[in-house]
């Protein structure tokens, strides 16, 4: 399998059993789910899909020397995202805004994934909990492959990061004691500042809060009147949007129009019901054979 990836360039996946896993319909569903959720309808340049990101996490883990099982965990870490990614988290509130994590066993136990994982020598239950894979997943503000890949990928897609900047960040990553660290403090500071800008200007911006809350109102109304069923959200973005757009419900139509035809003046005086999750970094930096948090360095 040959790819030209926006972050890692020209790459090949030559493990046939991994390629077979990627080809499974349950994984392929992620091609129809935008990482930016409803925001992709307001800003069409946000083209990153959950499939692209999941492949990227796999490639980064491989690059960092993770074992095969952790690489597969990277491929599957977003397998249970509902349509429009985190949009459902604005209906079903949680501190971490990770409703999809509770759905992971249901998706991993689908027959196509069960068969593909069996060929690889794994069981679905080995991938229920990403926290057992320290290169894949770490809590904020640590580095992990998931966090780094969406940072690089979204930065490039939004024009907030130049390819040479992302390449520099990648070139200064290494692994010490199963922990991803930067090898240079100045690069770590630059990455931390860039990550903070992404959080401020994109992931947790007033614009994102507006779009996600307006879209949540449309979803909530569609569920209330029976236009949508919860199972519909287990499909992809286009399937759900087609149902919403075909509705004669004026509230749904109004909410969708406010997103697709977003105008900055709509933010004036707007108070979101749910605030997007805030993200930040305090990355570990290599010091000799060990590491220290960037905040501990002078």
């Amino acid at each position: 399998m040959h790819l030209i990836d926006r972050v890692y360039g020209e790459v090949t996946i030559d493990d046939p059993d991994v390629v077979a896993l990627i080809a499974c319909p349950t994984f392929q569903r992620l091609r129809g789910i935008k990482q930016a959720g409803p925001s992709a309808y307001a800003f069409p340049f946000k083209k990153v899909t959950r499939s692209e990101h999941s492949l990227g996490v796999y490639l980064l883990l491989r690059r960092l020397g993770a074992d095969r099982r952790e690489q597969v965990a990277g491929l599957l870490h977003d397998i249970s995202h509902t349509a429009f990614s985190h949009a459902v988290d604005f209906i079903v509130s949680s501190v971490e805004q990770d409703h999809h994590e509770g759905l992971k066993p249901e998706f991993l136990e689908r027959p196509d994934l069960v068969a593909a994982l069996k060929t690889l020598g794994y069981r679905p239950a080995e991938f229920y909990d990403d926290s057992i894979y320290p290169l894949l997943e770490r809590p904020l503000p640590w580095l992990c492959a998931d966090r780094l890949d969406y940072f690089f990928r979204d930065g490039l897609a939004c024009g907030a990061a130049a390819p040479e900047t992302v390449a520099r960040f990648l070139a200064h990553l290494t692994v010490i004691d199963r922990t991803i660290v930067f090898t240079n403090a100045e690069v770590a500071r630059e990455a931390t500042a860039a990550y903070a800008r992404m959080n401020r200007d994109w992931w947790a911006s007033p614009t994102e809060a507006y779009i996600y809350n307006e879209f949540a109102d449309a979803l909530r109304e569609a569920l209330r009147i029976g236009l949508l069923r919860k199972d519909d959200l287990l499909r992809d973005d286009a399937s759900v949007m087609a149902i919403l757009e075909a509705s004669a419900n004026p509230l749904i139509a109004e909410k969708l129009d406010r997103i697709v035809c977003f105008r900055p003046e709509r933010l004036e005086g707007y108070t979101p019901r749910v605030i997007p999750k805030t993200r930040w970094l305090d990355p570990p930096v290599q010091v000799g054979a060990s590491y220290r948090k960037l905040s501990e360095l002078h």
Side-chain angles (χ1 to χ4, degrees), residues 250-266:
L251 175 61
I252 294 173
E254 178 187 2
K255 296 295 181 180
L256 294 183
D257 181 69
R258 289 180 180 181
I259 294 166
V260 176
C261 303
F262 172 76
R263 298 194 300 274
E265 56 265 30
R266 294 189 187 278

Side-chain angles (χ1 to χ4, degrees), residues 142-203:
W142 292 80
L143 301 179
C144 64
D146 177 20
R147 191 163 297 125
L148 285 166
D149 186 82
Y150 75 63
F151 169 37
F152 299 153
R153 204 164 292 280
D154 286 357
L156 290 170
C158 294
E164 56 269 23
T165 301
V166 171
R168 183 167 63 256
F169 293 160
L170 277 169
H172 287 88
L173 292 175
T174 193
V175 174
I176 299 175
D177 296 332
R178 299 284 287 157
T179 301
I180 302 173
V181 308
F182 279 110
T183 58
N184 179 284
E186 287 308 311
V187 173
R189 288 190 184 93
E190 183 184 358
T192 298
Y195 192 89
R197 288 192 297 272
M198 285 298 297
N199 179 74
R200 181 195 67 204
D201 297 341
W202 297 101
W203 301 321

Side-chain angles (χ1 to χ4, degrees), residues 10 12 46 65 73 113 191 216 259 270-271:
E10 193 170 338
T12 299
K46 293 185 175 183
L113 290 190
I259 294 166
Y270 183 78
T271 302

Side-chain angles (χ1 to χ4, degrees), residues 100-122:
H100 69 284
E101 292 294 340
L103 302 175
K104 188 169 283 186
E106 176 184 342
F107 277 85
L108 288 169
E109 296 290 350
R110 288 185 174 183
D112 60 334
L113 290 190
V114 171
L117 288 173
K118 184 177 181 180
T119 300
L120 282 157
Y122 305 129

Side-chain angles (χ1 to χ4, degrees), residues 33-40 42 46 50 81 83-91 97 154 202-220 237 255 258-259 262 267 270 272-277 279:
I33 300 176
K34 292 289 198 306
Q35 188 153 287
S39 186
K46 293 185 175 183
R50 287 288 159 186
H81 256 295
F84 297 97
S85 291
H86 287 287
V88 175
D89 293 314
F90 286 70
I91 300 175
Q97 296 184 356
D154 286 357
W202 297 101
W203 301 321
S205 71
T207 298
E208 292 296 285
Y210 176 88
I211 288 171
Y212 270 85
N213 278 277
E214 291 295 289
F215 190 72
D217 286 346
L219 288 181
R220 196 177 289 110
D237 296 355
K255 296 295 181 180
R258 289 180 180 181
I259 294 166
F262 172 76
L267 302 179
Y270 183 78
R273 181 187 300 198
V274 180
I275 304 297
K277 176 182 176 180
R279 297 169 167 89

